[in-house]
């Protein structure tokens, strides 16, 4: 017997009971046990007899379904042999990838191998002229499915769900289900995200085979196969378009009921396939502060009636301008600074698959507790229940498309590389499948087609196609690296940062300046590491106190950038992942490295209204044009920082000073020694009245002086230019007429570089009417 569930959205707040088995039950098996290695805090909650028992698709729920997760037989064979094996090697726990500890196998699937799965099931006896659908949440990468030895379908794509109609292949009693999988990972040209056959650094363990829930669902002869739900806040309405599957005769009608809790608040009806618009009498909006969800019941009325429940959120995301004409991100017609975490969604025991639904929810809950309102889902697509929890708990999502590496655009390249036709077809097929799969989730507010040039091709064509395909969300330009001038988000990556692209209030079309990645502060914690050594962060610290101090400095540096027009920022990252230790949580989710309440207090000022401001350069850096300095590489006489110091014997040189290949450097004068002392005179027509900032790129420690007084000590190194506030008291050091900026930089190893500028942050004038 199949599960019978409530037909309204009220069930969404509940955990569904496990499905009643339709076939042979599969209790714990002595051949199966969790593999070796680091385990998450949730591993012990996993029930191998009923893994991930929750209904897997909250956006389209039916009364009856059957979960097929559990212990299956498995075998690895030569990929050139298409026939199933005569013998299976053991048991694998579905839906965990074969490489994962939770699968109980923990073996790689080679590019030249085929992975076979097998289990039995019994179909329901009351199909009554209807059909039985077999659903897969995701299988990486290509699979063919057999029922009782008959092929019932194939699917290509590692991240999107698919369904097969298997009725004609069924027989009475026990039925055999077999799935054959091929996955070349990085030997192929398909999107793979962060997977690598040889994981290291920022690249992780491969994920192959079934990695999301498998389930059965009986449906009538004609049934609702898909929903497209589009809220329109301006029109105070929601539009529902149904896709109908199956065969059969008779007049059909679609009926829509919108629910506020258990109360019907709006009705609509129309023909199957038509866009049915339902107007709401009053609107409750969805936002991170108030993530209200309307219930939705959709009925296909007529012979063999079908019905599904769903939900939606009334929210609007768009670009807008503040009073100074600067482009910001607007949610529900109000500006909102979006601040979040780079969320990779990996697990030490399940790899792509969380051990439990509670684990999925935990990552989102902790992100909210820390005072973030955003997650950038990084080159991975999650199971539908992750997005359900983002919808329900109120977390904005920027959704990356999983990266392909068939081509790569270099960071400063001016043209896109050519992508072979076969690779391009795979990329576009899987990209569109992702948009279709996730399009109904209100939490998703931006699509990010490309990250850092990985698989980047036909950039502006892809951006414009995406805009036409989904006009309800923002479209990111490439996140980092090779921007092509289009997309709603002009996206910088800066480690540790923060930094931003300058804004132009007159630019058409407008773009928001965002910081898609920054931070990356690492802290390895013994007992919570994936590997004993080789762990790294973009900056690595030894204590939690050191980490917290540097993090606090980063957050303080964000506020002036927001005044200048920064519209969003994404800190790297939610958790440690394999050898990366720059998460705010350890990989096993057992330790939060900085107290969430402390983080929430640090983050709160970022969301407060700001006075728009712009830079007024007092002393330029050499980022764009080389700037003249005086310098020496031997220790100068005492008083070398003073305005009236006699520097006539010092050398002349152009900034920046350092060695080539130092990240982010603009080397104009070679400096490869241990120390360098710099001086630069500049004239001011008036003493500054507003906030002062240094523009600094340093590798390594630098002491910076104004008119003989130490104003900032920079420790460690940066990989790009960043804005550093000068204490208010230092403003009094500057005077009308001649002033001196002096710098001492020290180097101990590796690359080296120093360049410094000075600017004043002045209030930006309001935009003129019509701009």
């Amino acid at each position: 017997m199949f599960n019978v569930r409530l037909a309204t959205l009220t069930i969404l707040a509940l955990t569904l009971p496990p499905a009643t088995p339709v076939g042979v039950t599969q209790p714990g098996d002595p051949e199966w046990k969790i593999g070796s290695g680091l385990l998450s805090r949730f591993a012990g909650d996993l029930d191998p007899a009923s893994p991930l028992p929750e209904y897997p698709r909250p956006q389209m729920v039916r009364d009856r379904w059957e979960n097929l997760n559990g212990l299956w037989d498995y075998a690895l064979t030569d990929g050139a042999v298409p026939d199933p094996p005569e013998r299976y090697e053991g048991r694998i726990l579905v839906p965990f990838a074969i490489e994962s500890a939770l699968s109980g196998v923990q073996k790689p699937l080679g590019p030249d191998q085929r992975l076979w799965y097998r289990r039995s099931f019994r179909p329901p006896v009351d199909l009554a002229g209807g059909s039985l659908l077999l659903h897969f949440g995701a299988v990486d990468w290509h699979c063919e499915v057999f029922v009782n030895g008959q092929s019932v379908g194939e699917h290509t794509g590692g991240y999107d769900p698919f369904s097969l109609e298997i009725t004609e292949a069924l027989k009475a009693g026990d039925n055999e289900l077999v799935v054959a999988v091929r996955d070349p990972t990085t030997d192929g040209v398909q999107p793979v995200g962060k997977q690598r056959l040889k994981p290291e650094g920022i690249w992780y363990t491969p994920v192959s085979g079934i990695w999301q829930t498998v389930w059965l669902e009986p449906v009538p002869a004609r049934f609702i196969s898909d929903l497209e739900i589009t809220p329109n806040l301006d029109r105070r309405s929601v539009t529902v378009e149904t896709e109908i599957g199956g065969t059969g005769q008779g007049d059909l009608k679609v009926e829509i009921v919108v629910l506020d809790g258990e109360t019907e608040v709006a009705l609509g009806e129309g023909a199957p396939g038509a866009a049915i618009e339902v107007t709401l009498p009053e609107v409750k909006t969805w936002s991170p502060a108030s993530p209200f969800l309307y219930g939705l019941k959709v009925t296909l009325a007529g012979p063999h009636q079908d019905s599904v429940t769903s939900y939606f959120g009334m929210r609007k995301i768009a670009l807008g301008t503040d009073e100074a004409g600067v482009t910001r991100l607007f949610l529900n017609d109000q500006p909102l600074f979006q601040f979040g975490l780079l969320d990779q969604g990996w697990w030490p025991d399940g790899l792509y698959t969380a051990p439990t639904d509670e684990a999925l929810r935990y990552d989102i809950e902790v992100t909210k507790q820390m005072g973030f309102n955003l997650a950038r889902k990084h080159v991975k697509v999650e199971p539908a229940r992750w997005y359900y929890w983002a919808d329900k708990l109120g977390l904005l999502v920027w959704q990356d498309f999983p990266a392909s590496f068939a081509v790569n655009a270099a960071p400063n390249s001016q043209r896109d590389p050519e992508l072979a036709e076969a690779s391009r077809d795979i990329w576009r097929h899987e990209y569109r499948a992702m948009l279709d799969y996730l399009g109904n989730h209100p939490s998703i507010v931006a699509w990010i087609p490309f990250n850092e040039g990985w698989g980047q091709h036909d950039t502006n064509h892809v951006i414009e196609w995406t805009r036409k395909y989904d006009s309800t969300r923002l479209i990111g330009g490439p996140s980092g690296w090779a921007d092509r001038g289009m997309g709603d988000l002009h996206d910088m990556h800066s480690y540790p940062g923060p930094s931003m692209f300058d804004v132009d209030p007159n630019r058409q079309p407008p773009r928001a300046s965002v910081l898609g990645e920054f931070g990356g502060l690492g802290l390895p914690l013994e007992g919570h590491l994936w590997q004993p050594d080789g762990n790294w962060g973009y900056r690595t610290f030894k204590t939690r106190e050191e980490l917290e101090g540097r993090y606090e400095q980063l957050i303080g540096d964000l506020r002036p950038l927001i005044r200048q027009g920064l519209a969003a920022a994404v800190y790297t990252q939610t958790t440690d992942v394999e050898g990366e230790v720059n998460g705010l949580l350890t990989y096993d989710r057992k330790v939060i490295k900085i107290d969430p309440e402390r983080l929430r207090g640090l983050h709160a000022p970022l969301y407060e209204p700001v006075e728009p401001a712009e830079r007024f350069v007092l002393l330029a850096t050499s980022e764009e044009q080389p700037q003249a300095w005086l310098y020496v590489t031997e220790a100068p006489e005492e008083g070398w920082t003073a305005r009236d110091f006699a520097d006539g014997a010092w050398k002349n040189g152009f900034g920046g000073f350092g060695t080539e290949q130092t990240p982010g450097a603009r080397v104009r004068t070679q400096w490869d020694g241990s120390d360098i002392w710099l001086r630069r005179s500049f004239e001011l027509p008036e003493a500054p009245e507003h906030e002062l900032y240094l523009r600094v790129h340093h590798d390594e420690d630098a002491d910076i002086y104004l008119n003989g007084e130490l104003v900032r000590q920079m420790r460690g190194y940066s990989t790009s230019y960043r804005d550093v506030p000068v204490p208010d008291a230092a403003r009094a050091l500057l005077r009308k007429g001649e002033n001196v900026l002096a710098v001492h930089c020290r180097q101990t190893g590796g690359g080296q570089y120093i360049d410094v500028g000075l600017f004043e942050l002045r209030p930006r004038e309001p935009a003129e009417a019509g701009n």
Side-chain angles (χ1 to χ4, degrees):
M1 179 178 292
F2 280 65
N3 284 337
V4 178
R5 303 180 65 253
L6 298 175
T8 70
L9 191 66
T10 55
I11 53 88
L12 289 173
L14 306 175
T15 300
L16 302 177
T20 304
V22 295
V24 178
T25 59
Q26 299 183 348
D29 192 307
E31 297 180 11
W32 178 90
K33 64 178 181 179
I34 294 178
S36 61
L38 187 68
L39 300 179
S40 76
R41 59 176 289 187
F42 299 96
D45 299 330
L46 171 65
D47 178 4
S50 183
L52 299 177
E54 296 80 13
Y55 190 84
R57 189 183 58 189
Q59 276 281 1
M60 202 171 88
V61 179
R62 280 198 177 83
D63 293 348
R64 303 167 67 201
W65 68 289
E66 170 58 27
N67 196 323
L68 296 185
N69 291 344
L71 289 165
W72 297 37
D73 300 324
Y74 88 93
L76 291 169
T77 66
D78 187 333
V81 179
D83 300 323
E86 294 183 3
R87 293 181 63 255
Y88 283 77
E89 300 174 29
R91 306 284 253 170
I92 185 170
L93 188 62
V94 171
F96 299 101
I98 188 172
E99 296 90 348
S100 72
L102 293 182
S103 73
V105 180
Q106 213 168 15
K107 295 179 182 177
L109 172 64
D112 57 351
Q113 291 182 305
R114 197 182 305 266
L115 169 60
W116 295 87
Y117 296 84
R118 182 183 66 179
R119 69 155 288 164
S120 64
F121 70 94
R122 288 183 180 178
V125 296
D126 57 346
L127 285 177
S131 299
L132 186 63
L133 302 180
L134 173 62
H135 299 289
F136 292 83
V139 180
D140 195 356
W141 174 66
H142 173 271
C143 73
E144 186 171 8
V145 182
F146 303 85
V147 174
N148 298 321
Q150 177 181 333
S151 177
V152 294
E154 297 182 53
H155 181 264
T156 300
Y159 297 94
D160 57 301
F162 61 97
S163 302
L164 302 171
E165 203 282 320
I166 64 172
T167 313
E168 295 300 318
L170 298 175
K171 65 179 183 180
D174 288 345
N175 287 250
E176 182 188 60
L177 171 60
V178 172
V179 181
V181 177
R182 297 290 305 275
D183 182 18
T185 311
T186 39
D187 274 11
V189 296
Q190 78 275 18
V192 294
K194 287 288 198 80
Q195 301 177 62
R196 281 292 187 275
L197 289 173
K198 296 180 179 179
E200 61 177 350
I202 65 169
W203 313 113
Y204 315 139
T205 304
V207 172
S208 302
I210 299 170
W211 66 275
Q212 289 188 32
T213 292
V214 185
W215 80 101
L216 294 169
E217 190 172 49
V219 293
R222 299 296 301 278
F223 59 93
I224 300 167
S225 60
D226 201 4
L227 296 176
E228 183 176 340
I229 306 168
T230 308
N232 189 317
L233 190 60
D234 293 338
R235 293 174 61 89
R236 303 167 60 88
S237 68
V238 61
T239 298
V240 180
E241 187 172 343
T242 57
E243 184 177 306
I244 307 301
T247 59
Q249 303 297 319
D251 294 333
L252 298 174
K253 179 175 65 174
V254 175
E255 299 173 346
I256 310 293
V257 178
V258 177
L259 301 163
D260 180 346
E262 298 183 4
T263 303
E264 296 182 3
V265 295
L267 305 173
E269 63 178 39
I276 303 170
E277 185 176 17
V278 181
T279 301
L280 304 179
E282 62 176 294
V283 172
K284 296 181 179 179
T285 56
W286 181 96
S287 70
S290 180
F292 178 81
L293 296 174
Y294 285 95
L296 192 65
K297 182 177 180 181
V298 182
T299 301
L300 181 64
H304 309 290
Q305 178 170 295
D306 189 24
S307 182
V308 297
T309 58
S310 188
Y311 66 90
F312 65 93
M314 289 296 292
R315 68 102 182 92
K316 173 185 177 183
I317 186 71
L319 298 182
T321 56
D322 62 21
E323 63 270 27
V326 174
T327 301
R328 307 278 186 178
L329 302 182
F330 278 55
L331 181 68
N332 302 333
D333 297 319
Q334 297 295 320
L336 176 66
F337 183 70
Q338 296 186 16
F339 182 46
L341 292 171
L342 193 76
D343 192 304
Q344 308 217 49
W346 285 73
W347 296 82
D349 37 26
L351 301 180
Y352 262 10
T353 311
T356 65
D357 190 58
E358 180 188 359
L360 277 182
R361 174 173 177 152
Y362 175 78
D363 277 5
I364 295 172
E365 284 182 324
V366 126
T367 299
K368 292 275 291 183
Q369 288 167 8
M370 291 174 173
F372 297 99
N373 63 12
L374 170 71
R376 179 182 166 206
K377 182 50 67 176
H378 191 42
V379 293
K380 183 202 176 190
V381 177
E382 291 285 359
R385 290 195 66 86
W386 187 91
Y387 300 95
Y388 159 67
W389 286 119
D391 295 339
K392 186 170 181 61
L393 299 176
L395 186 68
L396 301 170
V397 176
W398 293 1
Q399 178 63 52
D400 289 9
F401 181 59
S404 166
F405 297 92
V407 296
N408 289 286
N412 298 313
S413 64
Q414 300 302 309
R415 300 179 63 182
D416 288 341
E418 294 292 329
L419 186 61
E421 182 178 0
S423 302
R424 187 178 67 243
D425 289 347
I426 290 171
W427 193 97
R428 294 186 181 181
H429 170 77
E430 295 196 30
Y431 180 59
R432 178 170 177 166
M434 181 190 77
L435 301 187
D436 290 340
Y437 163 42
L438 300 177
N440 290 339
H441 289 281
S443 57
I444 299 177
V445 294
W447 302 118
I448 312 293
F450 301 112
N451 177 75
E452 291 189 347
W454 305 342
Q456 186 175 337
H457 66 282
D458 297 340
T459 306
N460 289 344
H461 171 80
V462 169
I463 290 170
E464 284 308 297
W465 179 88
T466 307
R467 192 182 306 283
K468 292 176 183 177
Y469 198 69
D470 182 3
S471 61
T472 69
R473 291 179 171 90
L474 302 174
I475 315 299
S479 187
W481 292 19
D483 189 75
R484 300 290 181 247
M486 294 186 66
D488 298 308
L489 310 180
H490 191 193
D491 191 337
M492 175 182 284
H493 291 183
S494 176
Y495 286 105
S499 191
M500 64 178 286
F501 290 114
D502 291 337
V503 299
D504 178 4
N506 298 314
R507 189 193 187 281
Q508 294 298 327
R511 303 179 79 193
S513 180
V514 303
L515 182 55
E517 295 182 24
F518 83 106
L521 305 182
L523 177 65
L525 292 177
E526 189 173 351
H528 305 278
L529 298 174
W530 171 263
Q531 57 197 29
D533 49 35
N535 299 290
W536 66 279
Y538 288 92
R539 299 289 181 279
T540 303
F541 301 90
K542 295 181 179 180
T543 69
R544 295 170 76 166
E545 291 74 19
E546 290 176 339
L547 173 69
E548 182 172 339
R550 185 66 178 95
Y551 183 89
E552 183 174 354
Q553 185 181 58
L554 284 182
I555 301 306
D557 291 348
L558 275 178
R559 185 70 174 177
L561 298 182
I562 298 171
R563 292 188 61 199
Q564 294 173 70
L566 185 68
V570 179
Y571 179 82
T572 301
Q573 60 189 342
T574 309
T575 73
D576 297 345
V577 184
E578 300 201 354
E580 293 184 33
V581 292
N582 46 32
L584 289 177
L585 285 77
T586 54
Y587 197 17
D588 56 14
R589 275 70 166 181
K590 293 180 181 178
V591 178
I592 302 174
K593 298 179 185 179
I594 304 177
D595 178 69
E597 286 303 312
R598 173 66 175 147
L599 290 172
R600 192 174 189 87
L602 289 174
H603 300 159
L606 302 179
Y607 303 113
E608 296 173 356
V610 296
E611 179 186 21
E614 59 185 331
R615 301 177 189 216
F616 186 84
V617 176
L618 305 179
L619 189 64
T621 66
S622 296
E623 291 172 87
E624 304 298 332
Q625 297 294 329
Q627 304 295 321
W629 290 79
L630 296 174
Y631 74 99
V632 293
T633 55
E634 298 291 336
E637 297 177 5
E638 189 174 347
W640 67 275
T641 64
R643 191 168 56 87
D644 57 356
F645 177 75
D647 54 18
W650 286 38
K651 299 176 184 179
N652 292 288
F654 288 104
F657 296 81
T659 56
E660 298 291 346
Q661 309 307 318
T662 301
R666 304 286 191 273
V667 176
R668 323 283 187 174
T669 300
Q670 183 79 10
W671 163 54
D672 56 8
S674 61
D675 291 78
I676 192 169
W677 291 262
L678 303 165
R679 283 174 55 87
R680 187 173 173 197
S681 298
F682 60 101
E683 295 280 336
L684 291 180
E686 300 290 342
E689 299 178 353
H690 304 285
E691 297 170 68
L692 287 179
Y693 288 84
L694 296 164
R695 178 95 173 140
V696 186
H697 186 345
H698 66 103
D699 188 347
E700 298 170 19
D701 295 351
D703 298 331
I704 303 172
Y705 302 81
L706 284 175
N707 290 335
E709 297 291 334
L710 180 67
V711 294
R712 281 303 298 252
Q713 291 183 304
M714 312 299 298
R715 295 296 176 255
Y717 62 93
S718 61
T719 56
S720 62
Y721 286 83
R722 54 184 286 249
D723 299 338
V724 180
V726 175
D728 288 341
R731 189 164 58 238
L733 299 172
L734 296 180
R735 52 191 288 176
K736 180 179 178 180
E738 185 182 20
N739 296 269
V740 168
L741 175 69
V743 183
H744 175 207
C745 188
R746 298 173 291 280
Q747 173 63 16
T748 61
Q752 58 195 92
Y753 186 74
I754 184 65
D755 188 24
V756 182
L758 183 68
F759 68 90
E760 186 179 18
L761 199 59
R762 298 179 177 179
R764 187 185 289 271
E765 295 296 326
E768 295 182 8
N771 285 357

